[in-house]
Amino acid sequence: MWITPKEILVSGPGFWQTERANRNFILQRRKGRGTKGFSSLLVGTWDSVLDTKPPPYRLLYQEEGSDIFLMIAACMSGQEALDDWAWLEKELLTKVDNFESPGETTDFVSGKIASIVAIHEVENIEANDGNDAGESSGYKAAKVKFHRVFGVVEDEKLVSYYSCTVWQGRIPAQGWLYLTVNHLAFYSFILGSETKILLRWTDVTDIERCGGVWLQDSLQVSTRQDQWVFSIFNKEGYDLIRQLANLGMRKLISEDSYHQDLNLLLKRSKNVPKKSFLKRDLDARKNTEAYRAKFCLPIEEKLDGKVECFLFTPFNKKYRFGTLYLSSNFGCFSSHVPGLVSLVIPLKNVNCVEKSSTNANHGNQDEAIVFSMKKGGKTFVFGQVSDRDFVVEKLCELLAKLKNENEDILSLSSGSGSLSMSQASGETGGASSGSTFQVVEPLMTIFRESVDLTTEAVKEILWEKHGAEFGTGISIYRTEETTSLISKGIPNKWRREIWMTFSGAVFDKQRNPGYYSALAESSLMVKSLANDEIERDLHRSLPEHPAFQANNKIGIEALRRVLSAYAARNPQIGYCQAMNIVSSVLLIYSSEEEAFWLLVAICERLLPDYYNTKVVGALVDQGVMDHLVLTHLPDLHAKISDLGMLHLISLSWFLTLFLSVMPYHTAVYVMDCFFYEGAKVIFQLALTILSRNSEFLLSCRDEGEAMMGLNRYFQTILRDEPEVIDPAKETPSVLISNLITEAFKMFESVTSEEIESLRLKHRLKVVQTLEDSQMKNVVRSVKQVTKFTEEEVRALYIVVKNEQLIRTGKGAANDPASQDKLDPSKPYFELYKVDYDTWRHVSGMCSKWANSEIWDVLAHRMFKIMDVKHDGFINFKDLLLLLDMMCGTDVQKKLKLLFCLHLPGVVLPGELETLREDNTEVAADATDFFTEAEISLGKTARYLMEAGEQQDEMADYGEKASLNSIQGWLIRTDSKLEMRKIPPLPQQYFVLLWKSLYALFMENNLLPETEEQQALYHSVSVVGTLLLQIGEVGQKFEKRKPLNLEEEVGKDVDDVDGAVDTKFEELQVEEKSAKPYDNDWSITFEQFLASILTEPALVDHFSEKVDLKDALKEYSSSGMKRLPSADTQDSSRSVFYV
């Protein structure tokens, strides 16, 4: 690679060895790069440890009579260096003699090389669309080295790299750690010892911090086979490893792959460290996820930036230090003191943003920003804003962009003094436009609850006072007072608004007007497994409430619509038990549409992955709970583990938000706090309940006794109504509000950040455990159809799974495997499929025929036959069957496969060599080509159908049906009867089969033939001659049959004129329809098999077994290099071998 000429110091032999030289140019190779000796060993170690990253080869220019050297090229391979050297001798060396002085020569050479470099840089910028912007030279060099050392595919992008030590036993290896979106890689070269590690994130089972003197601040990364300890001494590296591992687990759970946000390139930035675009994007993604979780914002919202400042709080006339966050639709503030004050400002409600130079309290100089709202005359003041001018410009950009959008989006009341939900949400009630059903209002307005009116009135007064002091609606000041008020319970009158506001569901509702009504109506008309499960659980949802009893249809119908609509919205989740209980309570206190959006918030943001088919989120939180019990209740941890209670806590308490263990009117207090504080509330409350019952639990003898005792305790938890408390009871009662307040205080150290960190750790274990179970299910589902060992099937499964992840990660949204995973009725082997690229590579590694010239053609025919759905994919079972035929020891199966691959219709007409003397091209016209192919395939299929004595009245033997019949015959059990059903090969097709047999044994024309190859060629020649003679004899015999048939027919015909000819023509047509081909020359499979079995050399060759596990060891953990290939769908119309 040519580089901009630069002066370097060349003194003595040093680290370089001269390979070629002339009067002006020198070609040198770096010692340690292919050279031998102790000095080369030292130089190689020096380069690896210090990561100087010098190129293996370099080209130098030396001015005549001068000691100055210019480095003009750096090459990564010897061939590249030789090519550049040849160009120098051809293009420059012949011209340097034309200059009068050495200085002019130097100027010419420097200018020529610099112009070439400039041209290449422009071409690279255009090719990369600016993706290399912000990449340092060190990063670019590391990227080149990573691809060179590990040989991964080109689209595998490097995120970052770090100096690192790997501990192997007690011996450390110093090198470099490379982190990509899909892999963790390590490379070290010390004193001739090379260490190379390449792991997929999807194979990582655990990431643990290590302690000790030598391993302080190290990470232990484990897979199913091994574990490694990495010392990076860089916190950013540790965080990035966790983030990338989490992305890998997300890919396994939902095949939700990482995609770059290219809009990041267009954003103006300030105070952003220089890093690769991928690293910037991942940092932005991590910050955005934390931002959305902190303020419960829509999942589409992306953080634009943040700045430290002070928020002026008018309710106490103070400034609170914190961080102002800006995104496309919101400005949010959070104090640095947790829980002190936070604020959410929809930018759609902002009238203008102004600079202010005056402090709101004492009038001193200040760098402030004032947000003026459109309604209510409300303002928000942010003081001492860093980089104020830049922040104001950014806000003006965001406001200008919003100005052009729909005015109805996010038109939320943030300054009104009323808590009326109808104003905040814009709901009109009644039937939606074009809808056939009536949207149900909160069921508590129809079925009145028995509540203490005095308690409700007190709560309403407290909330009115709070609203007057701290504001209402979206832009309420969220303070410690708000938290205290919510823990005491929200009044029923305003519960719907506060749930919608603090959960962020109100944003989704306002962004999607009419969405729910249309979805609910259409989803009920669809027959699906989810709808069947919903129908089964409807009457078991909340039977104690009159709205969900059999004699009332209002609640049942509304619940049916909500659950069906969500199942249609998110097919990956569909419907899960416990969703019906939660949705029932949502419908009591909120309208039908609000209940739907609250369910969306719970399933997709607040409790992610809880309600999918494997309840991954609940299992993950089971591990989180186990860790928290060990940390906060160590005396109880061992007992709870012995009792095995944690799975009941996560699947019963958490999944239903305590609704399954408490009366709903009590558990609704937990939901109040849950929508405000997030998931940490349920952990804090669970720890408090276990702590209160610790003495009882320690005395329990089994799980049943423990759960019954806890259930009795739950019956003593009451809502805040004084008259329900009976002091005379033996078991004292506890108010739910007091229990929640106690939980907040006792386990205040349990934060949302800690829970998210623990979720990542336990997600690795849970997901990999589920993956192991899935692998066992897949292996079990194909156990009876193959002779491969279980280890071989597992090895193949890992390859297929990894390739499917790569394929779906590239945006294959309509991948059949992804669609099949949504249908639980599908067999396990249908969930994993290979496309043609994967099949070509896997079969190439496993087959001994892969080096032959004919292999690509045969591989394509195999894929076409097994692709019975014509969607371009083969399921795992069919793949295994095909490999079993190729790699097993059964000679008959291998020959049957080869014979089948040369049947008419499988072989296209363009692949046949014509025997015409004029050598005219066969099927030159496309229409004739396709017609002939379809006729041949249809005849082959018809023969198979008739030979199988199947009464199929298909009028049209299309390509798909015909290939299906061939595939069905190919995988059936071999028997003499089955062999007789196989259609014979006509002469031209047999010749092609014979040539294929020759080609299978010819691996390289440039190398001399081995004795084994010569024996095989001789055997093929003998068998071919024998079969040709058999075919000739058969042809002569067939030629006599029409004459005999005509004589026999003539004897049976009366004196009616022309009757003989008519009858003969009819019988001749019937006979031709019974034969697949018009030519009488043919070879049957029985003849082909018997002839092959007479040659020991061929029998030995076809009896050789391939160990699938050993063959697949060549499969790199980085995946296969996927090349552009022909579309395999409807391949007979797109692939020609002429």
Side-chain angles (χ1 to χ4, degrees), residues 902-904 983-991 1076-1077 1079 1081-1083:
H902 293 81
L903 287 173
L985 280 184
Q987 186 174 23
Q988 285 183 310
Y989 295 86
F990 168 73
V991 171
Y1077 319 109
N1079 192 348
W1081 196 104
S1082 63
I1083 291 295

Side-chain angles (χ1 to χ4, degrees), residues 516-787:
Y516 168 71
S517 298
L519 187 62
E521 189 165 14
S522 61
S523 63
L524 292 175
M525 301 178 183
V526 177
K527 177 69 175 175
S528 66
L529 181 63
N531 282 351
D532 292 340
E533 292 177 346
I534 291 169
E535 203 64 35
R536 183 186 62 207
D537 288 347
L538 281 177
H539 295 280
R540 299 187 295 190
S541 300
L542 205 65
E544 65 269 27
H545 195 282
F548 301 101
Q549 294 172 359
N551 57 342
N552 289 316
K553 294 184 178 180
I554 298 177
I556 293 294
E557 290 178 351
L559 181 61
R560 180 187 291 114
R561 288 192 293 268
V562 168
L563 295 175
S564 297
Y566 187 78
R569 168 187 168 85
N570 194 339
Q572 287 193 339
I573 293 179
Y575 170 74
C576 174
Q577 284 187 344
M579 289 172 65
N580 60 322
I581 300 175
V582 175
S583 300
S584 299
V585 177
L586 295 177
L587 284 167
I588 293 173
Y589 298 101
S590 56
S591 72
E592 182 179 334
E593 185 174 4
E594 291 161 1
F596 170 78
W597 288 115
L598 285 168
L599 183 63
V600 169
I602 292 172
C603 295
E604 298 177 10
R605 293 201 305 273
L606 298 173
L607 293 177
D609 305 320
Y610 255 64
Y611 298 97
N612 57 24
T613 54
K614 298 176 182 177
V615 290
V616 176
L619 295 175
V620 170
D621 281 354
Q622 176 180 321
V624 174
M625 187 65 188
D626 180 69
H627 179 91
L628 293 176
V629 171
L630 177 62
T631 304
H632 298 279
L633 304 172
D635 296 338
L636 197 58
H637 178 264
K639 185 65 177 182
I640 288 180
S641 299
D642 292 341
L643 294 175
M645 292 173 51
L646 284 175
H647 71 283
L648 294 175
I649 292 175
S650 62
L651 295 178
S652 177
W653 299 4
F654 292 177
L655 204 61
T656 63
L657 299 175
F658 290 91
L659 288 167
S660 62
V661 291
M662 295 185 196
Y664 78 89
H665 47 70
T666 302
V668 77
Y669 283 68
V670 181
M671 297 181 70
D672 293 340
C673 298
F674 170 74
F675 283 127
Y676 181 71
E677 293 277 3
K680 75 172 184 178
V681 172
I682 60 177
F683 289 99
Q684 292 171 324
L685 186 59
L687 289 170
T688 304
I689 293 170
L690 293 177
S691 176
R692 276 176 163 254
N693 293 272
S694 58
E695 291 184 9
F696 165 74
L697 292 172
L698 288 171
S699 63
C700 288
R701 289 166 294 181
D702 55 43
E703 175 189 351
E705 182 184 355
M707 294 309 296
M708 287 180 64
L710 288 175
N711 287 335
R712 286 194 298 271
Y713 175 76
F714 280 120
Q715 300 307 313
T716 67
I717 302 175
L718 307 174
R719 59 179 172 177
D720 288 14
E721 293 184 7
E723 65 272 14
V724 299
I725 300 178
D726 185 2
K729 282 188 177 180
E730 295 183 5
T731 305
S733 300
V734 57
L735 292 178
I736 182 64
S737 60
N738 293 339
L739 189 65
I740 292 173
T741 303
E742 180 183 340
F744 286 172
K745 292 179 179 179
M746 184 181 296
F747 299 102
E748 184 181 7
S749 59
V750 178
T751 63
S752 298
E753 290 75 18
E754 181 188 9
I755 290 172
E756 283 303 316
S757 177
L758 291 172
R759 278 176 170 173
L760 168 58
K761 173 184 175 181
H762 291 281
R763 188 178 290 119
L764 291 172
K765 297 177 182 178
V766 169
V767 173
Q768 294 296 5
T769 300
L770 292 173
E771 284 296 306
D772 290 341
S773 300
Q774 184 78 335
M775 178 166 62
K776 291 178 183 178
N777 292 331
V778 174
V779 172
R780 194 181 300 115
S781 70
V782 296
K783 187 177 181 179
Q784 303 300 325
V785 301
T786 179
K787 294 181 180 179

Side-chain angles (χ1 to χ4, degrees), residues 821-942:
K821 285 190 175 182
L822 304 180
D823 186 356
S825 64
K826 292 281 186 182
Y828 287 107
F829 58 77
E830 280 283 357
L831 306 182
Y832 296 90
K833 301 186 178 184
V834 296
D835 60 1
Y836 179 68
D837 277 334
T838 305
W839 156 249
R840 183 179 59 187
H841 285 86
V842 170
S843 59
M845 288 187 293
C846 299
S847 175
K848 293 191 174 182
W849 306 331
N851 294 327
S852 63
E853 295 179 356
I854 197 68
W855 174 247
D856 285 340
V857 177
L858 296 181
H860 184 270
R861 291 180 194 164
M862 292 182 208
F863 188 87
K864 183 171 69 172
I865 290 175
M866 301 305 285
D867 180 16
V868 293
K869 294 183 179 179
H870 272 217
D871 57 1
F873 293 91
I874 298 178
N875 67 42
F876 186 75
K877 177 183 174 182
D878 289 343
L879 171 67
L880 202 60
L881 287 169
L882 208 48
L883 290 177
D884 194 21
M885 294 180 201
M886 288 195 303
C887 304
T889 59
D890 193 324
V891 178
Q892 183 170 324
K893 280 186 177 180
K894 290 183 182 178
L895 295 177
K896 183 179 177 182
L897 177 62
L898 280 174
F899 194 88
C900 178
L901 295 179
H902 293 81
L903 287 173
V906 179
V907 175
L908 302 180
E911 298 176 75
L912 295 175
E913 291 186 4
T914 179
L915 300 178
R916 301 175 187 174
E917 294 181 359
D918 57 0
N919 291 326
T920 56
E921 190 173 349
V922 176
D925 182 77
T927 304
D928 295 340
F929 177 89
F930 293 134
T931 302
E932 187 174 349
E934 291 168 357
I935 291 174
S936 300
L937 186 58
K939 288 180 177 179
T940 300
R942 192 185 302 275

Side-chain angles (χ1 to χ4, degrees), residues 935-1107:
I935 291 174
S936 300
L937 186 58
K939 288 180 177 179
T940 300
R942 192 185 302 275
Y943 185 94
L944 288 169
M945 298 289 285
E946 293 175 356
E949 299 178 356
Q950 298 179 12
Q951 301 299 323
D952 195 334
E953 299 180 355
M954 285 193 310
D956 179 21
Y957 286 86
E959 181 180 9
K960 182 174 180 179
S962 303
L963 286 175
N964 285 358
S965 61
I966 296 175
Q967 189 254 14
W969 161 77
L970 183 62
I971 64 177
R972 280 201 294 268
T973 305
D974 295 328
S975 65
K976 290 185 178 180
L977 180 61
E978 288 294 333
M979 285 194 292
R980 291 171 185 169
K981 297 177 183 178
I982 302 173
L985 280 184
Q987 186 174 23
Q988 285 183 310
Y989 295 86
F990 168 73
V991 171
L992 193 63
L993 171 60
W994 196 6
K995 289 189 173 185
S996 296
L997 284 174
Y998 270 112
L1000 287 179
F1001 313 128
M1002 189 179 297
E1003 295 184 358
N1004 195 330
N1005 292 328
L1006 301 178
L1007 298 177
E1009 297 176 356
T1010 63
E1011 292 184 4
E1012 181 184 0
Q1013 285 179 320
Q1014 290 177 354
L1016 290 171
Y1017 294 155
H1018 175 73
S1019 298
V1020 171
S1021 176
V1022 171
V1023 169
T1025 303
L1026 177 61
L1027 289 173
L1028 283 173
Q1029 293 172 351
I1030 292 174
E1032 293 293 336
V1033 172
Q1035 185 181 29
K1036 292 178 182 179
F1037 177 76
E1038 289 291 334
K1039 285 183 178 179
R1040 298 178 183 177
K1041 293 177 68 175
L1043 296 175
N1044 297 335
L1045 181 62
E1046 186 176 1
E1047 292 175 3
E1048 184 177 349
V1049 170
K1051 292 177 182 178
D1052 297 335
V1053 176
D1054 295 332
D1055 295 334
V1056 180
D1057 294 338
V1060 174
D1061 295 334
T1062 303
K1063 185 66 177 177
F1064 170 71
E1065 290 174 2
E1066 292 175 355
L1067 290 175
Q1068 192 174 30
V1069 169
E1070 291 177 4
E1071 182 186 6
K1072 285 186 177 182
S1073 66
K1075 299 176 185 179
Y1077 319 109
D1078 296 335
N1079 192 348
D1080 294 327
W1081 196 104
S1082 63
I1083 291 295
T1084 67
F1085 177 68
E1086 290 177 293
Q1087 294 167 341
F1088 175 68
L1089 175 63
S1091 301
I1092 292 289
L1093 294 178
T1094 61
E1095 292 295 322
L1098 291 175
V1099 173
D1100 291 343
H1101 174 80
F1102 287 113
S1103 300
E1104 291 181 4
K1105 184 182 186 303
V1106 176
D1107 189 295

